[in-house]
Structure formats: structure tokens, C-alpha cells
Amino acid sequence: SHPPKAQKVLERLINKKENRKAIRSAMAATLLKEVVAKRGHKVPAEYPFVVNSGVESISKTKDVEKMLMDLGFSEELARSARKKVRAGMGTMRGRRYNRKKGILIVTSADCPLLKSAKNMTGVDAVEVKALNAELLAPGADAGRVTLWTEKAVQKVADEKLFM
């Protein structure tokens, strides 16, 4: 008799300083191999990486996959490609399958890599200005495996993003 109202706002605002601090904390957690491995990611021995900015010009998904394999993320790609049937009532409500979150690629600006990387299952690609705590720490669990480009790291430092 009292269904949810369409005009009700179901999202909550967060303080700017608190949001920036959460993003900085999640960014720091992506650099610690122990935290990333504890979250369940399969990372290579020489993690973390800052990738050359030439990677941003890759426009084919096949080339992105080859680059990630060369860096040693083959186990991580296989882990995020697996799909599991969800337990519970969600299976009947249009949420049948569960997938694990994979690699996050952070670029400096809008580039062909964003589109080609989003075609891969489990891989997310985002501009550095569009970063948020949910991308860096899905499910409020910090330490997602992240690839940063040189220009993205430079942009964070130059523009003092999230400070």
C-alpha cells in the first residue's frame, strides 16, 4: 500500500573533504602489494606499475589484452573473466551472475584506451579526474589492482587533484 516513491532521493551526499580523503586513502592502498593481494587479486612479483604514456593510444582490445599479459596479469584476467551463479533470490531478479572486479586502468585524458579497455570483462578504464572511491575500493574494500599511466600520475601531482 506504500510503495517506494519515484521522487524520493535515495543517494546521500558526502562532505568534500571526507570524499577527497577517502579517494587519497584508496589511491595509497592500490600501491601496496600486500593489501592488493589480500583483497584476492593475482598480482605479478614486481607490482605496482606506472605504465608508459604511449599506452593511452592503444585502440584495439586485442592489443590491450596483449599488453596486460606481457605485464604478467594473465591470472588476474582469468580470475575476473570467470562468472559464478549468484546465491539467493537475486538469481530470479535479473542479477543471475557475479563477476570479480579486475584491473583498473587510470589515464590522464580521454583517449582510445578508455574505449578499448572497457570491452574486456572485469577491466575498467577511467580518466584520472573521474576517479572515485567506489572505483578504487569496490565494496568499500581498499586495494584494487591499478595501472597508472605516467601522464596520469603527473596530472595528479601538477593539478593537486583530491587535495
Side-chain angles (χ1 to χ4, degrees):
S1 64
H2 300 290
K5 305 292 187 277
Q7 60 267 35
K8 187 173 184 180
V9 178
L10 297 173
E11 63 185 30
R12 295 188 59 188
L13 295 177
I14 186 169
N15 298 337
K16 285 182 185 176
K17 285 184 181 179
E18 193 176 357
N19 188 31
R20 288 181 189 145
K21 189 172 185 177
I23 293 171
R24 285 195 308 267
S25 170
M27 284 168 65
T30 63
L31 299 176
L32 302 173
K33 184 180 177 186
E34 302 82 34
V35 176
V36 173
K38 186 178 177 185
R39 194 174 183 280
H41 293 289
K42 309 285 187 218
V43 290
E46 54 278 343
Y47 183 81
F49 295 112
V50 175
V51 187
N52 187 357
S53 296
V55 174
E56 291 185 4
S57 63
I58 295 176
S59 60
K60 292 216 163 268
T61 305
K62 196 186 316 182
D63 296 337
V64 175
E65 188 174 1
K66 184 181 180 310
M67 183 251 320
L68 292 173
M69 293 286 195
D70 291 344
L71 289 174
F73 286 112
S74 56
E75 286 181 44
E76 180 65 23
L77 290 174
R79 174 187 165 272
S80 62
R82 233 175 284 124
K83 78 178 173 180
K84 172 185 165 291
V85 176
R86 182 192 300 264
M89 294 295 286
T91 54
M92 292 183 280
R93 296 178 180 153
R95 300 180 296 273
R96 186 164 188 81
Y97 297 107
N98 242 349
R99 283 191 201 271
K100 300 212 179 283
K101 288 284 187 182
I103 301 166
L104 175 68
I105 301 172
V106 182
T107 63
S108 62
D110 191 22
C111 60
L113 178 66
L114 291 175
K115 191 172 180 183
S116 58
K118 284 182 182 176
N119 285 331
M120 299 176 65
T121 55
V123 177
D124 292 326
V126 68
E127 281 185 58
V128 71
K129 283 189 172 185
L131 272 178
N132 59 41
E134 182 58 34
L135 283 170
L136 291 166
D141 192 10
R144 183 174 183 181
V145 60
T146 308
L147 283 179
W148 296 82
T149 62
E150 288 175 349
K151 284 184 181 177
V153 173
Q154 190 65 37
K155 196 168 194 173
V156 169
D158 289 347
E159 296 182 15
K160 296 186 172 133
L161 293 177
F162 315 115
M163 295 294 161

